[in-house]
Amino acid sequence: MDALAGLLEGPRARGAFMIRACFDPPWAVRVEDRAPLTIMLMVRGDSWVLPDAGGEPVRLRSGDLAITRGPDPYTCADAPDTAPQALILPGGECRYPDGTSLQGSMDLGVRTWGDRLDGSTVMLIGTYLMQGEISGRLLDALPPLLSLTTDVWQCPLTPLLMEEIVRDEPGQEVVLDRLLDLLVIAALRAWFSRPEAAAPAWYRALADPVVGRVLRLLQNDPAHPWTVASLAAKAGVSRAALARRFTELVGEPPMSYLTGWRLALAADRLRDSEDTIGAIAREVGYGSAFALSSAFKRVYGVSPQEHRTRAA
């Protein structure tokens, strides 16, 4: 598995929130749903995404796409100075800014919300509702807000999404979940290929002839009993040279990176499989369930079983 494939295999939407939003200016919606990841695809018109946690506002035009990483709130609006007219809370709950419920007053049909169906602004929004639906490794690699414009990427899924999002048929949620996963993966693959993408240090280090080879060894075979000496021998350098170069480029020593990689893989496997903790421990390089549990709780603050329960 190449590094990018390993990073992008994480999205697994389960009953994700998907909606078509239709507005006429002036409009603004403040989002405080604490969702781990939301993707916004402009179909018609313009909008602004304004993050609370600093960072520059992003303008989206027809065909552009933005991805926000939670839990920090943000505002979507026709203009940066438009006051919010609606508030989105956890669970998709919608309220007016004064806290009173919208009570379905902006519902326009199946998964459609806003002012009117033929509004001058149309946006498709997909939200992963639970942290366990997105790999922690992927979230850690993303900025709070990123965007792709039509001059660098053309979304091939827009017509299909527009058709499927308003269908009300058996199994439709599963169809939309998989389409959302595909959209996110396609968008992030395009984003990571951009020179301005703030890819994680280990991802950039893959281009180094020495550290890149070591990273691939660790990523492709985490269960192997690696040591700095064995990795250095594979890379054709001394232990001291490898430790120095690896730490300089990745930001941590080889064995520290390996521990984090093993635990991240274990966290994903606990979420995605029903394998026993002992089986997962052996798969990622720990000799027993106890050894994995001790390391897992030290880093994640919960036991593997608690992590699995929370992600269910």
Side-chain angles (χ1 to χ4, degrees):
M1 178 185 297
D2 65 75
L4 184 57
L7 194 64
L8 296 181
E9 68 174 350
R12 296 288 189 277
R14 293 189 290 267
F17 177 78
M18 290 197 72
I19 200 166
R20 178 180 60 164
C22 308
F23 297 111
D24 283 320
W27 64 271
V29 177
R30 181 168 172 79
V31 182
E32 298 181 2
D33 61 2
R34 302 187 64 80
L37 199 74
T38 296
I39 189 164
M40 293 163 277
L41 177 62
M42 292 301 303
V43 177
R44 184 166 68 237
D46 294 356
S47 72
W48 286 83
V49 184
L50 306 125
D52 270 25
E56 292 296 320
V58 169
R59 185 176 186 179
L60 301 178
R61 296 177 172 86
S62 180
D64 294 349
L65 173 147
I67 294 178
T68 62
R69 175 173 61 83
D72 292 332
Y74 57 93
T75 299
C76 293
D78 70 302
D81 57 352
T82 302
Q85 301 151 350
L87 180 64
I88 309 299
L89 298 172
E93 181 183 358
C94 302
R95 293 186 175 273
Y96 289 107
D98 65 4
T100 59
S101 176
L102 280 168
Q103 296 180 336
S105 61
M106 297 180 72
D107 290 347
L108 298 175
V110 177
R111 300 184 192 89
T112 305
W113 187 78
D115 299 327
R116 59 187 178 94
L117 287 173
D118 57 349
S120 60
T121 301
V122 176
M123 179 188 301
L124 300 181
I125 302 168
T127 298
Y128 291 83
L129 300 176
M130 301 295 293
Q131 183 78 30
E133 295 172 340
I134 297 285
S135 166
R137 288 175 290 136
L138 176 55
L139 291 176
D140 290 343
L142 300 180
L145 173 62
L146 66 91
S147 64
L148 288 170
T149 55
T150 55
D151 60 328
V152 299
W153 183 66
Q154 295 285 334
C155 179
L157 297 172
T158 302
L160 183 58
L161 284 164
M162 283 290 287
E163 179 180 343
E164 292 291 340
I165 202 167
V166 295
R167 287 185 183 272
D168 189 14
E169 299 181 4
Q172 192 63 20
E173 282 194 355
V174 177
V175 172
L176 293 173
D177 283 349
R178 299 291 74 79
L179 284 174
L180 177 59
D181 291 340
L182 183 59
L183 177 62
V184 168
I185 290 170
L188 291 179
R189 183 172 62 179
W191 183 77
F192 275 113
S193 71
R194 303 293 299 164
E196 68 271 20
W202 64 261
Y203 187 83
R204 299 192 301 271
L206 285 166
D208 183 83
V210 172
V211 177
R213 183 175 184 185
V214 170
L215 281 167
R216 289 181 178 90
L217 289 170
L218 298 177
Q219 291 171 349
N220 292 337
D221 192 6
H224 186 82
W226 296 111
T227 63
V228 175
S230 65
L231 290 168
K234 290 282 189 180
V237 296
S238 70
R239 286 180 294 175
L242 173 61
R244 181 176 61 253
R245 190 170 184 140
F246 194 102
T247 303
E248 182 180 288
L249 294 181
V250 179
E252 60 183 330
M255 293 298 100
S256 176
Y257 174 85
L258 177 58
T259 296
W261 180 251
R262 285 170 169 170
L263 293 177
L265 291 174
D268 288 350
R269 292 291 293 149
L270 288 162
R271 180 198 67 194
D272 294 334
S273 79
E274 297 182 358
D275 293 348
T276 66
I277 294 174
I280 293 174
R282 292 187 294 273
E283 182 180 333
V284 301
Y286 285 89
S288 67
F290 177 78
L292 172 61
S293 296
S294 297
F296 197 94
K297 190 164 187 177
R298 185 169 59 250
V299 172
Y300 286 88
V302 296
S303 69
Q305 187 57 53
E306 287 173 314
H307 173 82
R308 169 171 274 172
T309 301
R310 291 181 181 184

